[in-house]
Protein backbone atom coordinates (compact mmCIF):
# COMPACT_ATOMS: atom_id res chain seq x y z
CA UNK A 1 0.00 0.00 0.00
CA UNK A 2 2.81 2.41 0.81
CA UNK A 3 4.57 2.02 -2.52
CA UNK A 4 1.22 2.16 -4.32
CA UNK A 5 0.38 5.44 -2.59
CA UNK A 6 3.75 6.85 -3.58
CA UNK A 7 3.12 5.83 -7.20
CA UNK A 8 -0.30 7.49 -7.15
CA UNK A 9 1.17 10.75 -5.82
CA UNK A 10 3.89 10.85 -8.45
CA UNK A 11 1.47 9.97 -11.23
CA UNK A 12 -1.20 12.47 -10.26
CA UNK A 13 1.21 15.36 -9.69
CA UNK A 14 2.41 14.89 -13.27
CA UNK A 15 6.11 15.46 -12.69
CA UNK A 16 5.63 18.97 -11.26
CA UNK A 17 6.30 17.49 -7.82
CA UNK A 18 8.16 14.27 -7.14
CA UNK A 19 7.93 12.08 -4.04
CA UNK A 20 10.77 9.67 -3.20
CA UNK A 21 10.61 6.93 -0.55
CA UNK A 22 13.33 7.30 2.06
CA UNK A 23 12.36 4.72 4.69
CA UNK A 24 9.60 2.99 6.63
CA UNK A 25 8.93 2.72 10.38
CA UNK A 26 5.87 1.73 12.41
CA UNK A 27 4.30 2.86 15.67
CA UNK A 28 1.94 1.00 17.99
CA UNK A 29 -0.10 3.57 19.89
CA UNK A 30 -3.91 3.15 19.97
CA UNK A 31 -4.41 6.71 21.20
CA UNK A 32 -2.54 8.16 18.24
CA UNK A 33 -4.17 5.79 15.79
CA UNK A 34 -7.66 6.84 16.89
CA UNK A 35 -6.85 10.54 16.93
CA UNK A 36 -8.76 13.41 15.32
CA UNK A 37 -8.47 17.12 14.50
CA UNK A 38 -7.31 19.38 17.33
CA UNK A 39 -7.27 16.51 19.84
CA UNK A 40 -4.62 16.13 22.55
CA UNK A 41 -3.62 12.77 21.06
CA UNK A 42 -3.01 14.39 17.67
CA UNK A 43 -0.84 17.06 19.27
CA UNK A 44 1.18 14.41 21.08
CA UNK A 45 1.51 12.35 17.89
CA UNK A 46 2.73 15.22 15.77
CA UNK A 47 5.04 16.60 18.44
CA UNK A 48 6.69 13.20 18.71
CA UNK A 49 6.76 12.11 15.08
CA UNK A 50 7.05 15.16 12.85
CA UNK A 51 10.29 15.41 10.91
CA UNK A 52 11.92 18.15 8.88
CA UNK A 53 11.05 21.75 8.16
CA UNK A 54 8.44 23.52 6.00
CA UNK A 55 9.61 21.57 2.95
CA UNK A 56 8.89 18.23 4.66
CA UNK A 57 5.51 16.69 3.97
CA UNK A 58 4.48 14.67 7.02
CA UNK A 59 1.55 12.32 6.39
CA UNK A 60 -0.06 10.42 9.26
CA UNK A 61 -2.31 7.41 8.66
CA UNK A 62 -4.88 6.94 11.40
CA UNK A 63 -8.43 5.68 11.93
CA UNK A 64 -10.33 8.94 11.76
CA UNK A 65 -13.97 7.80 11.88
CA UNK A 66 -16.92 10.22 11.94
CA UNK A 67 -17.11 10.11 8.12
CA UNK A 68 -13.80 11.99 7.86
CA UNK A 69 -11.32 10.83 5.22
CA UNK A 70 -8.50 13.28 5.87
CA UNK A 71 -7.43 16.84 6.60
CA UNK A 72 -4.40 19.06 6.07
CA UNK A 73 -2.71 22.30 7.02
CA UNK A 74 -1.87 25.09 4.59
CA UNK A 75 1.65 26.36 3.89
CA UNK A 76 0.79 29.77 5.34
CA UNK A 77 0.20 28.15 8.75
CA UNK A 78 3.68 26.66 9.11
CA UNK A 79 5.44 29.64 10.67
CA UNK A 80 2.94 29.89 13.53
CA UNK A 81 2.56 26.14 14.18
CA UNK A 82 5.43 24.18 12.64
CA UNK A 83 4.79 20.97 14.61
CA UNK A 84 1.19 20.93 13.43
CA UNK A 85 2.14 21.05 9.75
CA UNK A 86 1.16 18.06 7.64
CA UNK A 87 -1.56 15.75 6.35
CA UNK A 88 -3.68 13.22 8.25
CA UNK A 89 -5.59 10.53 6.37
CA UNK A 90 -7.71 7.53 7.28
CA UNK A 91 -5.74 4.36 6.54
CA UNK A 92 -8.77 2.93 4.75
CA UNK A 93 -8.21 5.39 1.88
CA UNK A 94 -4.79 4.01 0.92
CA UNK A 95 -4.70 2.16 -2.42
CA UNK A 96 -6.25 -1.27 -2.07
CA UNK A 97 -7.77 -0.55 1.34
CA UNK A 98 -11.35 -0.96 2.50
CA UNK A 99 -13.12 2.38 1.97
CA UNK A 100 -15.46 1.73 -0.93
CA UNK A 101 -15.11 4.35 -3.66
CA UNK A 102 -12.21 6.09 -1.93
CA UNK A 103 -9.47 3.48 -1.81
CA UNK A 104 -7.29 4.41 -4.78
CA UNK A 105 -5.08 6.91 -2.94
CA UNK A 106 -6.79 10.04 -4.25
CA UNK A 107 -7.65 11.31 -0.75
CA UNK A 108 -3.92 11.74 -0.12
CA UNK A 109 -3.54 13.50 -3.48
CA UNK A 110 -6.38 15.85 -2.47
CA UNK A 111 -4.93 16.60 0.96
CA UNK A 112 -1.42 17.18 -0.36
CA UNK A 113 -3.04 19.73 -2.68
CA UNK A 114 -4.17 21.65 0.40
CA UNK A 115 -0.69 21.29 1.91
CA UNK A 116 0.66 22.96 -1.25
CA UNK A 117 -1.85 25.82 -1.06
CA UNK A 118 -4.98 24.75 -2.96
CA UNK A 119 -8.56 25.28 -1.82
CA UNK A 120 -11.56 23.18 -2.74
CA UNK A 121 -13.01 23.81 -6.19
CA UNK A 122 -16.31 24.69 -4.48
CA UNK A 123 -14.69 27.26 -2.19
CA UNK A 124 -16.99 30.28 -1.96
CA UNK A 125 -19.73 28.77 -4.11
CA UNK A 126 -20.87 30.61 -7.23
CA UNK A 127 -19.77 34.13 -6.28
CA UNK A 128 -16.55 35.86 -5.35
CA UNK A 129 -12.99 34.69 -6.03
CA UNK A 130 -13.75 31.04 -5.20
CA UNK A 131 -10.56 28.99 -4.93
CA UNK A 132 -8.39 31.86 -6.27
CA UNK A 133 -7.58 29.87 -9.42
CA UNK A 134 -8.89 31.40 -12.64
CA UNK A 135 -9.21 28.22 -14.71
CA UNK A 136 -11.35 26.12 -12.33
CA UNK A 137 -15.06 26.79 -13.00
CA UNK A 138 -17.16 27.99 -10.07
CA UNK A 139 -19.02 25.27 -8.18
CA UNK A 140 -21.86 25.76 -5.71
CA UNK A 141 -21.24 22.65 -3.60
CA UNK A 142 -19.11 19.50 -3.46
CA UNK A 143 -19.69 16.91 -6.16
CA UNK A 144 -21.02 13.59 -4.93
CA UNK A 145 -19.92 10.54 -6.86
CA UNK A 146 -19.00 11.51 -10.43
CA UNK A 147 -21.64 13.93 -11.65
CA UNK A 148 -20.02 14.72 -15.01
CA UNK A 149 -21.98 17.45 -16.76
CA UNK A 150 -23.28 19.01 -13.55
CA UNK A 151 -23.67 22.79 -13.69
CA UNK A 152 -24.33 24.12 -10.20
CA UNK A 153 -23.38 27.70 -11.16
CA UNK A 154 -25.28 28.33 -14.42
CA UNK A 155 -24.34 32.02 -14.40
CA UNK A 156 -20.62 31.25 -14.50
CA UNK A 157 -18.44 29.84 -17.24
CA UNK A 158 -17.82 26.11 -17.43
CA UNK A 159 -19.35 22.98 -16.03
CA UNK A 160 -18.55 21.84 -12.50
CA UNK A 161 -14.95 20.52 -12.25
CA UNK A 162 -16.04 17.16 -10.84
CA UNK A 163 -12.93 15.37 -12.14
CA UNK A 164 -10.63 17.77 -10.34
CA UNK A 165 -8.62 16.38 -7.42
CA UNK A 166 -9.81 19.25 -5.22
CA UNK A 167 -13.49 18.33 -5.49
CA UNK A 168 -15.18 15.58 -3.46
CA UNK A 169 -15.85 13.10 -6.27
CA UNK A 170 -14.99 9.44 -5.80
CA UNK A 171 -11.48 8.21 -6.57
CA UNK A 172 -12.34 6.65 -9.92
CA UNK A 173 -13.66 10.01 -11.13
CA UNK A 174 -10.82 12.34 -10.18
CA UNK A 175 -7.93 12.65 -12.61
CA UNK A 176 -6.75 16.25 -12.99
CA UNK A 177 -5.28 19.48 -11.70
CA UNK A 178 -5.52 22.57 -13.89
CA UNK A 179 -2.59 24.65 -15.13
CA UNK A 180 -3.67 27.40 -12.74
CA UNK A 181 -3.65 25.01 -9.80
CA UNK A 182 -0.14 23.83 -10.66
CA UNK A 183 0.96 27.46 -10.88
CA UNK A 184 -0.52 28.22 -7.46
CA UNK A 185 1.10 25.16 -5.86
CA UNK A 186 4.51 26.00 -7.32
CA UNK A 187 4.16 29.61 -6.13
CA UNK A 188 3.23 28.55 -2.62
CA UNK A 189 6.04 26.00 -2.59
CA UNK A 190 8.58 28.67 -3.47
CA UNK A 191 7.19 31.19 -1.01
CA UNK A 192 6.46 29.02 2.02
CA UNK A 193 8.02 25.58 1.63
CA UNK A 194 11.22 25.98 -0.35
CA UNK A 195 12.91 28.13 2.33
CA UNK A 196 10.19 28.50 4.97
CA UNK A 197 10.71 32.26 5.09
CA UNK A 198 7.36 34.05 5.57
CA UNK A 199 6.59 36.34 2.66
CA UNK A 200 3.53 38.22 1.38
CA UNK A 201 0.81 36.05 -0.08
CA UNK A 202 0.91 35.63 -3.88
CA UNK A 203 -1.63 37.46 -6.05
CA UNK A 204 -5.14 36.02 -6.02
CA UNK A 205 -6.68 35.80 -9.50
CA UNK A 206 -10.43 36.08 -9.69
CA UNK A 207 -12.91 34.06 -11.70
CA UNK A 208 -14.74 35.55 -14.64
CA UNK A 209 -18.38 35.49 -13.48
CA UNK A 210 -20.09 35.09 -16.84
CA UNK A 211 -19.34 34.19 -20.43
CA UNK A 212 -21.67 33.71 -23.39
CA UNK A 213 -20.82 30.06 -23.95
CA UNK A 214 -19.91 27.22 -21.61
CA UNK A 215 -17.27 24.65 -22.64
CA UNK A 216 -18.19 21.03 -22.06
CA UNK A 217 -15.70 18.89 -20.18
CA UNK A 218 -15.93 15.18 -20.83
CA UNK A 219 -12.75 14.16 -19.10
CA UNK A 220 -11.70 14.73 -16.68
CA UNK A 221 -12.10 25.57 3.66
CA UNK A 222 -10.73 28.07 5.02
CA UNK A 223 -7.03 28.45 5.67
CA UNK A 224 -5.26 27.97 8.97
CA UNK A 225 -5.53 25.30 11.61
CA UNK A 226 -5.42 21.54 11.37
CA UNK A 227 -8.94 21.20 10.06
CA UNK A 228 -8.18 23.14 6.88
CA UNK A 229 -9.00 21.04 3.86
CA UNK A 230 -11.03 18.38 5.63
CA UNK A 231 -12.25 15.61 3.33
CA UNK A 232 -15.48 13.94 4.40
CA UNK A 233 -17.48 10.94 3.30
CA UNK A 234 -19.28 7.85 4.48
CA UNK A 235 -17.45 4.62 5.20
CA UNK A 236 -17.59 1.75 7.64
CA UNK A 237 -15.39 1.13 10.65
CA UNK A 238 -12.01 -0.50 10.06
CA UNK A 239 -9.39 -1.92 12.34
CA UNK A 240 -5.63 -1.86 12.23
CA UNK A 241 -2.93 -1.98 14.89
CA UNK A 242 -1.89 1.65 14.72
CA UNK A 243 -0.12 3.88 12.34
CA UNK A 244 1.34 7.16 11.28
CA UNK A 245 3.14 8.21 8.12
CA UNK A 246 5.50 11.10 7.54
CA UNK A 247 7.11 12.33 4.35
CA UNK A 248 10.41 14.20 4.71
CA UNK A 249 11.68 16.61 2.10
CA UNK A 250 14.85 16.49 0.07
CA UNK A 251 16.83 19.49 -1.15
CA UNK A 252 15.95 19.33 -4.84
CA UNK A 253 13.24 21.76 -5.99
CA UNK A 254 9.76 20.30 -5.71
CA UNK A 255 11.14 16.91 -4.57
CA UNK A 256 10.36 15.10 -1.34
CA UNK A 257 11.70 11.96 0.24
CA UNK A 258 9.08 9.75 1.83
CA UNK A 259 9.19 8.18 5.28
CA UNK A 260 6.28 5.99 6.29
CA UNK A 261 5.09 4.83 9.69
CA UNK A 262 1.82 2.98 9.72
CA UNK A 263 -0.26 -0.17 9.65
Amino acid sequence: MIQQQLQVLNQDYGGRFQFVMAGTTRQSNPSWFNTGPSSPSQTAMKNSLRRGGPESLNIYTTSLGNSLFGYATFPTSYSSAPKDDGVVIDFGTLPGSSTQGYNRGKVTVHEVGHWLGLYHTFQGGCSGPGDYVSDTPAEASPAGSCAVGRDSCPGAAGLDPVRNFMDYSNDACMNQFTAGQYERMLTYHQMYRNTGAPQPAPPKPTKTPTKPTKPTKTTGPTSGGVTAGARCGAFGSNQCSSGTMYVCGGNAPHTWQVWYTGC
Side-chain angles (χ1 to χ4, degrees), residues 10-201:
N10 283 322
Q11 173 183 309
D12 290 345
Y13 278 87
R16 273 79 163 188
F17 296 90
Q18 183 180 11
F19 304 85
V20 181
M21 179 65 72
T24 303
T25 59
R26 298 180 185 274
Q27 295 288 324
S28 181
N29 188 316
S31 176
W32 291 356
F33 184 59
N34 294 288
T35 192
S38 304
S39 66
S41 59
Q42 180 202 240
T43 300
M45 176 182 72
K46 289 185 172 182
N47 284 343
S48 176
L49 297 174
R50 196 187 189 285
R51 302 291 186 270
E55 79 292 342
S56 300
L57 170 59
N58 287 247
I59 306 178
Y60 307 88
T61 58
T62 64
S63 180
L64 290 174
N66 297 318
S67 297
L68 181 65
F69 288 169
Y71 55 95
T73 58
F74 284 101
T76 50
S77 300
Y78 179 84
S79 61
S80 61
K83 283 289 189 180
D84 189 43
D85 185 65
V87 167
V88 180
I89 60 169
D90 186 272
F91 75 95
T93 66
L94 292 171
S97 293
S98 56
T99 304
Q100 189 68 29
Y102 297 91
N103 59 355
R104 299 189 181 188
K106 308 299 185 179
V107 169
T108 300
V109 175
H110 175 104
E111 299 303 340
V112 171
H114 289 307
W115 188 80
L116 287 169
L118 295 183
Y119 291 105
H120 292 130
T121 54
F122 49 86
Q123 178 81 12
C126 297
S127 61
D131 62 354
Y132 300 105
V133 177
S134 60
D135 62 354
T136 55
E139 188 175 22
S141 60
S145 53
C146 191
V148 175
R150 190 178 81 151
D151 188 7
S152 62
C153 295
L159 300 177
D160 290 2
V162 300
R163 293 195 182 277
N164 195 283
F165 290 120
M166 301 312 295
D167 207 334
Y168 272 10
S169 302
N170 59 43
D171 281 15
C173 186
M174 295 190 295
N175 62 16
Q176 61 188 228
F177 289 115
T178 68
Q181 286 175 316
Y182 278 124
E183 180 181 0
R184 181 177 172 89
M185 287 189 285
L186 290 170
T187 298
Y188 269 75
H189 169 267
Q190 291 292 347
M191 297 186 73
Y192 296 102
R193 297 213 177 277
N194 196 32
T195 64
Q199 300 181 42

